[in-house]
């Protein structure tokens, strides 16, 4: 297969590039590098099965030659990033998805959309299953991301129904691992950066809000399985181990042997911060025979190793 991965220089996109290349496919990565980085794909330079195209997919996408699958992963994805780039976020979810679908249609390729647990907003149903329609405030600060992804899902289903295109939608829950940006503002890089520097971890609010953190390798495996399947409806992918942010901070400090403790920094919290988040993954289990495998403590150690090497290279 020849696979186009938009957002291919991003955290998740670059891991997908690695996986598809390892599986013997050709990969074209496309990225405008506003939140991605060529550092994430530098190790692929010289690989004859790999190409990088610097391009903003919100503009018309041109890829010469055959394409068998289009994986649309381009988007700012951390709350800090999409608040910094609200219009680009809306555009890449709307115009970018439209262009990527158009390319897939022209090439007769399978289309795969990276959607998000944010389509559920601040959920009133717990855990969240795919049938839950969500609780999103369109004009809240997170609306730019949430509504862009909701629109993207609607567009994908319209192309599937109208044009009979072969499409997939994954709803990704909190995912962490090597190649997250240390300064992307999310809880995992913030806490790990603070712990590596021996600083107190900044818990926003009282830390009672919950998240479920899955390791990147588990997500990548699910993406490959979903792409290969024939399942068109959205599929949640995430871990069902739900923890409060306060407990998460304690785990990070324990894994890092950081004695600096925790401080409560409510001022940095973004309005509309969901209070709970945990996927119902029964569909992923039934359709893909998939379950996450990596324990949080192990995944955190590997992520620590990565951030330590990035920080020591920066000194
Ligand atoms: N958070 C925190 N300290 C930080 C960064 C984030 O307590 O330094 C909290 C944030 O308020 C949210 C949770 O951690 O409740 C996860 O935030 P993140 O930005 O990672 O992504 P989200 O899951 O909200 O999209």
């Amino acid at each position: 297969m020849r696979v186009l991965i938009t957002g291919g220089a991003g955290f998740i996109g670059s891991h997908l590039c690695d996986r598809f290349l390892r599986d013997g496919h050709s990969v074209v990565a496309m990225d405008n590098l506003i939140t991605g980085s060529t550092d994430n794909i530098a190790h692929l330079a010289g690989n004859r099965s790999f190409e990088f195209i610097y391009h903003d997919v919100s503009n018309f996408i041109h890829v010469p030659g055959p394409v068998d699958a289009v994986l649309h992963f381009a988007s700012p994805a951390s709350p800090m990033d999409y608040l910094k780039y609200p219009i680009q976020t809306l555009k890449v979810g709307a115009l970018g998805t439209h262009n990527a679908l158009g390319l897939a249609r022209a090439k007769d390729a399978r289309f795969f959309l990276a959607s998000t647990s944010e389509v559920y907003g601040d959920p009133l149903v717990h855990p969240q299953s795919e049938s839950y329609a969500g609780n999103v405030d369109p004009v809240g600060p997170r609306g730019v991301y949430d509504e862009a992804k909701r629109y993207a899902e609607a567009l994908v289903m319209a192309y599937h129904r109208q044009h009979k295109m072969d499409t997939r939608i994954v709803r990704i829950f909190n995912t962490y691992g090597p190649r997250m940006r240390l300064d992307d503002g999310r809880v995992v890089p913030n806490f790990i950066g603070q712990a590596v520097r021996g600083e107190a971890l900044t818990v926003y609010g009282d830390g009672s809000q919950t998240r479920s953190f899955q390791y990147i390798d588990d997500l990548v495996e699910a993406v490959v399985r979903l792409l290969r399947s024939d399942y068109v409806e959205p599929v949640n992918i995430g871990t069902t181990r739900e923890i409060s942010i306060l407990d998460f901070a304690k785990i990070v400090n324990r894994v890092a042997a950081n004695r600096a403790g925790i401080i409560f920094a409510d001022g940095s919290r973004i309005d509309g911060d969901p209070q709970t988040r945990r996927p119902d993954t029964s569909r992923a289990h039934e359709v893909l025979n998939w379950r996450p495998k990596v324990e949080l403590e192990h995944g955190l150690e590997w992520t620590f190793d990565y951030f330590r090497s990035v920080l020591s290279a920066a000194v």
Side-chain angles (χ1 to χ4, degrees):
M1 277 204 306
R2 186 165 183 248
V3 182
L4 171 67
I5 302 175
T6 76
F11 161 50
I12 297 175
S14 65
H15 283 282
L16 289 172
C17 292
D18 288 345
R19 172 65 190 261
F20 281 96
L21 288 168
R22 208 176 326 124
D23 288 352
H25 304 296
S26 295
V27 172
V28 180
M30 192 170 270
D31 208 297
N32 68 350
L33 303 177
I34 64 167
T35 58
S37 167
T38 51
D39 290 349
N40 292 335
I41 48 170
H43 59 287
L44 300 176
N47 183 328
R48 285 179 27 211
S49 301
F50 181 72
E51 289 164 70
F52 174 69
I53 303 177
Y54 173 74
H55 180 65
D56 179 347
V57 296
S58 296
N59 300 313
F60 183 86
I61 306 172
H62 179 66
V63 176
V67 174
D68 304 293
V70 175
L71 286 87
H72 182 40
F73 278 71
S75 179
S78 94
M80 200 185 78
D81 285 344
Y82 54 73
L83 290 175
K84 186 170 170 196
Y85 301 109
I87 297 171
Q88 284 103 319
T89 301
L90 282 157
K91 284 175 75 176
V92 75
L95 306 174
T97 304
H98 190 210
N99 290 330
L101 277 162
L103 178 88
R105 186 165 180 237
K107 302 282 186 185
D108 204 14
R110 188 167 288 186
F111 184 85
F112 189 108
L113 175 69
S115 186
T116 169
S117 55
E118 284 281 328
V119 299
Y120 302 121
D122 192 0
L124 303 176
V125 164
H126 197 70
Q128 295 80 53
S129 73
E130 292 85 350
S131 58
Y132 177 49
N135 176 37
V136 170
D137 176 4
V139 296
R142 289 176 179 252
V144 296
Y145 184 62
D146 303 5
E147 296 294 7
K149 290 291 190 184
R150 290 168 67 91
Y151 173 87
E153 288 195 11
L155 194 61
V156 168
M157 291 311 291
Y159 268 68
H160 170 71
R161 291 181 183 129
Q162 181 94 25
H163 295 310
K164 311 285 174 246
M165 270 181 68
D166 194 13
T167 58
R168 309 282 181 273
I169 298 173
V170 64
R171 291 186 179 151
I172 302 171
F173 283 66
N174 288 68
T175 305
Y176 70 96
R179 302 187 194 152
M180 292 186 96
R181 242 178 44 238
L182 198 52
D183 63 351
D184 87 355
R186 277 190 278 203
V187 70
V188 172
N190 274 10
F191 282 4
I192 293 187
Q194 288 157 347
V196 169
R197 292 189 296 266
E199 299 166 8
L201 310 194
T202 51
V203 167
Y204 301 164
D206 62 3
S208 64
Q209 69 273 33
T210 65
R211 294 293 186 274
S212 311
F213 296 98
Q214 73 172 331
Y215 190 66
I216 180 70
D217 292 2
D218 283 327
L219 171 66
V220 167
E221 178 61 30
V223 169
V224 168
R225 287 186 191 207
L226 180 57
L227 182 68
R228 282 196 202 125
S229 78
D230 58 3
Y231 198 78
V232 170
E233 299 292 318
V235 179
N236 287 339
I237 296 295
T239 178
T240 49
R241 177 175 170 192
E242 177 185 11
I243 52 173
S244 72
I245 293 300
L246 185 58
D247 285 340
F248 182 58
K250 291 178 186 161
I251 294 172
V252 169
N253 273 340
R254 195 167 61 236
V255 172
N258 179 27
R259 299 224 184 93
I262 288 165
I263 51 169
F264 292 90
D266 200 21
S268 310
R269 197 169 185 189
I270 295 165
D271 284 351
D273 192 346
Q275 189 55 31
T276 54
R277 192 184 282 158
R278 170 159 58 100
D280 176 339
T281 52
S282 20
R283 184 177 282 182
H285 186 59
E286 276 157 35
V287 175
L288 309 175
N289 191 24
W290 174 91
R291 279 186 204 279
K293 292 204 176 111
V294 177
E295 281 298 329
L296 181 60
E297 286 75 2
H298 292 151
L300 278 176
E301 276 179 26
W302 300 329
T303 311
F304 261 104
D305 291 344
Y306 167 78
F307 280 119
R308 274 198 202 95
S309 68
V310 170
L311 282 166
S312 63
V315 171

